[in-house]
């Protein structure tokens, strides 16, 4: 037999009609068990594989049983946990997940979304890149369900599953202030990314509420790697009036900062990480649960796929400030109050 085996080839091998083969491979229960067993044996022998694209074209009104998952970077531990949890839910629902990374690049994001929608995915779980997401409205209008996870999508009305980034950072900064710190440095990523902007607003709000002026000299934005965070910390601590405490707005920046952080500087990181408990002192973190975020987002998506037409909603998941020691290093004003 030349080329890829067809349904007719399987039918000839099993001694049945092509219609019978179709019923067996599509899981229809109207075929006698012995006949179905013959067909399945022929499928295995010939290595037949169902043409999913052709099947979808013939049955355009039916679900594709695939969803698209687009995260910032699937190699990032947080995003990897999101992808794994979403895939687990999809598998239990009988769906396959197509996974892509935007690398925070809006153009790449559009390209991956276009590739997913061209394959008629039933829905998308999206960690939005920067900028407006109005470009997703046509896909929504054509029936593609969209749920945002970890970040909101400006310009798009869609279900969103996030944590309260601003409130979480406010709590962490209040915690540092309560331990006697007034000069609190901030290590941040790109401010056009929704989560980073929210976290910085939380930092400023906590200082303002405590009557502490925000010093631009203590803030470093646009850090994209651990080495850039290490350089930023070195520069901050070499200043005439260095910070006595630091807050890093993501795990990657925290890991870079910790390579150069001297004893006596208080430190809090947004996101927990595996070595946080083993360092000296153990690292105080704002912990969020990527598995809970992704699981919730996937359940919301499948509810939409199966007919939920209620208005789009935002689900806010909890965070926890885990006090381990680094965030409790006393500052110059410890015990004096504000």
């Amino acid at each position: 037999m030349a080329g890829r085996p067809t349904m007719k080839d399987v039918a000839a091998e099993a001694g049945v009609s092509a219609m019978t083969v179709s019923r067996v491979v599509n899981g229809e229960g109207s075929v006698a068990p012995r006949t179905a067993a013959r067909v399945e044996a022929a499928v295995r022998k010939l290595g037949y594989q169902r043409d999913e694209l052709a099947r979808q074209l013939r049955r355009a009104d039916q679900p594709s049983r695939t969803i698209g998952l687009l995260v910032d970077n699937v190699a990032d531990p947080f995003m990897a946990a999101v992808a794994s949890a979403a895939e687990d839910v999809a598998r239990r629902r009988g769906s396959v997940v197509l996974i892509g990374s935007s690398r925070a690049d809006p153009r790449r994001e559009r390209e991956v979304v276009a590739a997913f929608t061209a394959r008629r995915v039933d829905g998308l779980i999206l960690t939005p890149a920067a900028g407006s997401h109005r470009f997703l409205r046509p896909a929504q209008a054509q029936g593609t369900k969209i749920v945002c996870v970890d970040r909101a999508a400006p310009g798009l009305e869609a279900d969103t599953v996030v944590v309260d980034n601003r409130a979480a950072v406010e709590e962490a900064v209040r915690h540092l202030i309560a331990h006697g710190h007034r000069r609190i440095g901030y290590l941040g990523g790109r401010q056009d990314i929704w989560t980073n902007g929210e976290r910085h607003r939380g930092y400023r709000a906590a200082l303002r509420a405590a009557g502490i002026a925000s010093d631009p000299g203590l803030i470093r934005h646009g850090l994209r790697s651990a080495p850039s965070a290490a350089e930023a910390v070195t520069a901050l601590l070499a200043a005439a009036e260095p910070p006595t405490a630091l807050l890093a707005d993501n795990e990657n920046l925290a890991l870079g900062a910790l390579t150069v952080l001297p004893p006596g500087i208080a430190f809090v990181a947004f996101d927990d990480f595996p070595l946080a408990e083993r360092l000296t002192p153990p690292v105080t973190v704002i912990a969020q649960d990527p598995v809970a975020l992704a699981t919730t987002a996937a359940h919301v998506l499948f509810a939409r796929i199966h007919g939920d037409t209620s208005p789009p909603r935002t689900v806010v998941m909890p965070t926890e400030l885990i006090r381990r020691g680094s965030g409790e290093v006393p500052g110059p004003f410890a015990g004096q109050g504000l």
Side-chain angles (χ1 to χ4, degrees):
M1 183 191 314
R4 180 176 177 174
T6 67
M7 195 172 287
K8 288 183 179 179
D9 297 325
V10 175
E13 177 70 26
V16 298
S17 68
M19 181 61 72
T20 298
V21 175
S22 176
R23 288 172 178 162
V24 172
V25 298
N26 286 308
E28 298 175 15
S30 56
V31 180
R34 288 186 179 181
T35 303
R38 276 207 323 276
V39 171
E40 290 166 358
V43 166
R44 290 193 296 273
K45 178 179 177 180
L46 299 179
Y48 171 77
Q49 291 183 324
R50 182 171 59 183
D51 188 335
E52 290 292 344
L53 180 58
R55 177 172 176 263
Q56 289 171 19
L57 291 173
R58 288 195 302 270
R59 304 180 65 187
D61 61 328
Q62 298 297 314
S64 66
R65 291 194 173 276
T66 59
I67 65 170
L69 173 66
L70 179 56
V71 296
D72 185 79
N73 184 354
V74 75
D76 175 84
F78 180 88
M79 294 298 174
V82 167
S84 178
E87 187 176 31
D88 286 345
V89 174
R91 183 175 178 273
R92 292 194 294 270
R93 297 297 190 102
S95 289
V96 172
V97 182
L98 308 178
I99 302 176
S101 298
S102 71
R103 304 294 176 90
D105 180 346
R107 180 178 298 179
R108 179 166 172 163
E109 178 183 54
R110 288 176 180 247
E111 290 173 353
V112 177
V113 167
F116 286 166
T117 55
R119 287 162 175 77
R120 291 190 58 252
V121 294
D122 299 323
L124 292 170
I125 297 176
L126 176 71
T127 300
S132 172
H133 284 71
R134 291 173 62 91
F135 75 92
L136 288 169
R137 291 182 183 181
Q140 282 184 315
Q142 293 168 9
T144 304
K145 312 305 180 186
I146 298 174
V147 176
C148 299
V149 65
D150 185 53
R151 304 171 187 167
L156 187 71
E157 290 188 9
D159 295 303
T160 305
V161 183
V162 293
V163 300
D164 193 337
N165 292 273
R166 175 170 173 164
V169 171
E170 283 190 55
E171 180 186 10
V173 174
R174 286 197 304 269
H175 180 72
L176 291 169
I177 292 169
H179 281 80
H181 298 279
R182 302 293 181 271
R183 295 188 59 77
I184 301 170
Y186 184 86
L187 306 174
R190 287 174 47 183
Q191 290 304 288
D192 56 351
I193 299 294
W194 184 83
T195 44
N196 296 342
E198 286 292 293
R199 292 169 189 178
H200 182 237
R201 280 185 278 276
Y203 164 82
R204 289 174 61 89
L207 293 179
R208 187 167 55 248
I212 300 171
S214 178
D215 182 351
L218 295 176
I219 299 169
R220 295 292 186 272
H221 286 317
L223 305 176
R224 300 194 181 194
S225 66
S228 68
E231 291 176 8
V233 170
T234 299
L236 284 168
L237 296 180
E241 294 185 82
T244 63
L246 288 169
L247 187 145
D249 84 352
N250 66 60
E251 172 190 344
N252 197 28
L253 301 185
L255 291 172
L258 288 166
T259 63
V260 296
L261 194 70
I265 303 296
F267 185 76
V268 177
F270 202 116
D271 281 340
D272 203 357
F273 54 95
L275 293 176
E277 292 182 282
R278 300 185 180 184
L279 297 176
T280 305
V283 180
T284 296
V285 298
I286 302 165
Q288 56 179 332
D289 187 343
V291 172
L293 278 166
T295 299
T296 301
H299 284 308
V300 171
L301 180 67
F302 280 105
R304 294 297 187 191
I305 291 170
H306 293 295
D308 181 356
T309 59
S310 60
R313 59 190 181 274
T314 296
V315 180
V316 180
M317 306 293 288
T319 61
E320 180 185 3
L321 181 63
I322 302 178
R323 300 161 173 81
R324 291 187 176 130
S326 70
E328 293 68 53
V329 173
F333 298 93
Q336 298 181 29
L338 287 176

